[in-house]
Amino acid sequence: MHQAVASGDDGRLADFRLQGRLGPVLAFALVAASIYAWDGWDTSFRMLLSLWVAYSINFLALAALARRSGFDAPWAAVLITAASGAVVGGLAGTTITMLPLGRAWIPAAFSAFFVGLSLVTAAMRTRERRAAEGRRLLLEARLQTLSAQIEPHFLMNTLANLRYLIKTDAAAAATMLDNLADFLEGSLERARAPHSTLGSEIKLVESYLSIMQIRLGARLRFSTEIPPDLAAVPFPPLLLQTLVENAVVHGIEPHEAAGTVTVAVSREGSNIAVRVADDGVGIDRGKRPAHGLGLTNTRERLATFYDGRASFRLAPAAPCGTVAEIRIPAEG
């Protein structure tokens, strides 16, 4: 059974790292020095120092455990180390600062509280991250299932057309074969990868549309547009392909007249807009589904990949047809 391995930002001990902790230590030292310069070695200063010593000892104990057993060390080891660190830290804090040992429970409780708060926060953060990862993997599985359902039908129709063209139009057959090879190669690469780019996805849909253009003849025209500076923007694989297939299968093919599919990418303020438009059968006339497995999958994948910062809209186009628009954040 697969078990996630905790990274440097994951795991219940993720907050117990020495790296990046120099700033708070120096800040405390500055505050302590200021209090000492103002009031000297009084009870308030010694109590403050005992709290810092107790927490530091507990922190170092858990940091050592994280270094030895990983950031996802067993809960039993974490709790034993934290409890021991709190007791030892409380005794050390009162001893170093020459406070009565009867007050050792104060720095010990202080240490235990803030260590426990860090552990609970890290555990919740880890659970949320792994739940999100689980949802992403589920959506990827759904996408692969959807692709497995669509591609055989598309492939068999394309091969049938190819067999016919080999006998009647060798040049068209060669063009279709080249586009089919590019499409299959791109689909296989993206099916195995969690991320792609807008430029790569545009090339994939160009191969698909070129094949469909040969199959449908003059009934299908298409155009793609993407600024060079947006080609490297990360984008979920095969997401654009779903929208383009939807435009061809549900928009152009059932339409009586010739139609055009337009794919355009543009930067609009702090967002990047990805539009797939067709002038075929529109959803406004009730002849085209506004929902379905592919579109539901699109919405869910966008919500997961962009943490709720992306949007998807399907609307009638003027004067006819449909436009599907995805908006993603330009940065991150």
Side-chain angles (χ1 to χ4, degrees):
M1 182 170 58
H2 178 269
Q3 182 176 2
V5 178
S7 65
D9 294 325
D10 199 5
R12 55 184 63 97
L13 294 178
D15 291 337
F16 295 92
R17 293 174 294 171
L18 295 178
Q19 183 181 3
R21 298 301 190 266
L22 183 60
V25 171
L26 292 178
F28 176 86
L30 181 61
V31 171
S34 301
I35 295 175
Y36 180 77
W38 182 263
D39 283 336
W41 187 259
D42 65 349
T43 302
S44 298
F45 173 75
R46 286 187 290 163
M47 179 56 70
L48 177 65
L49 187 59
S50 71
L51 297 179
W52 182 80
V53 169
Y55 179 78
S56 297
I57 290 176
N58 209 350
F59 179 91
L60 291 174
L62 289 169
L65 177 63
R67 186 176 182 85
R68 184 177 69 250
S69 303
F71 290 106
D72 223 7
W75 266 117
V78 172
L79 294 177
I80 292 173
T81 302
S84 302
V87 173
V88 173
L91 293 172
T94 53
T95 300
I96 291 173
T97 56
M98 295 180 291
L99 288 171
L101 288 179
R103 294 188 178 183
W105 69 271
I106 298 178
F110 174 87
S111 169
F113 174 78
F114 282 100
V115 164
L117 184 63
S118 296
L119 291 173
V120 170
T121 301
M124 293 177 61
R125 187 171 62 240
T126 300
R127 184 173 60 182
E128 291 173 358
R129 183 180 291 114
R130 291 178 179 174
E133 178 67 11
R135 290 193 298 270
R136 188 189 69 81
L137 292 175
L138 177 60
L139 292 176
E140 291 300 324
R142 289 181 182 175
L143 176 66
Q144 292 176 0
T145 300
L146 178 65
S147 298
Q149 294 171 348
I150 294 175
E151 288 176 4
H153 181 264
F154 164 74
L155 184 60
M156 294 307 296
N157 285 339
T158 301
L159 290 176
N161 282 124
L162 184 60
R163 182 167 54 184
Y164 173 77
L165 288 174
I166 289 174
K167 300 176 182 179
T168 59
D169 191 340
T175 301
M176 176 178 278
L177 187 59
D178 288 340
N179 288 317
L180 180 59
D182 292 339
F183 176 78
L184 292 177
E185 180 181 6
S187 296
L188 289 173
E189 289 178 355
R190 285 153 184 79
R192 299 189 185 104
H195 301 285
S196 182
T197 63
L198 280 172
S200 297
E201 295 305 301
I202 288 289
K203 290 181 180 179
L204 182 66
V205 299
E206 285 176 342
S207 298
Y208 169 79
L209 288 169
S210 296
I211 294 171
M212 296 304 297
Q213 190 175 51
I214 296 174
R215 284 177 50 184
L216 297 178
R219 293 186 56 213
L220 173 64
R221 299 180 297 270
F222 75 89
S223 66
T224 59
E225 180 182 351
I226 178 172
D229 62 312
L230 298 183
V233 172
F235 197 73
L238 300 178
L239 196 68
L240 185 59
Q241 174 69 21
T242 300
L243 299 182
V244 172
E245 287 184 1
N246 193 56
V248 174
V249 174
H250 297 294
I252 302 300
E253 285 189 323
H255 198 45
E256 297 177 356
T260 302
V261 174
T262 303
V263 184
V265 180
S266 61
R267 186 186 296 271
E268 297 183 0
S270 60
N271 294 318
I272 295 175
V274 182
R275 294 186 181 91
V276 177
D278 68 78
D279 55 3
V281 175
I283 57 175
D284 56 330
R285 289 184 290 174
K287 297 181 179 180
R288 178 171 173 180
H291 303 282
L293 180 59
L295 298 179
T296 300
N297 190 284
T298 296
R299 292 184 175 92
E300 291 178 348
R301 293 185 71 211
L302 285 172
T304 300
F305 273 85
Y306 296 101
D307 195 24
R309 296 179 297 145
S311 64
F312 174 69
R313 181 178 66 94
L314 190 69
C320 63
T322 305
V323 57
E325 180 186 76
I326 292 174
R327 298 178 74 87
I328 62 174
E331 302 295 337

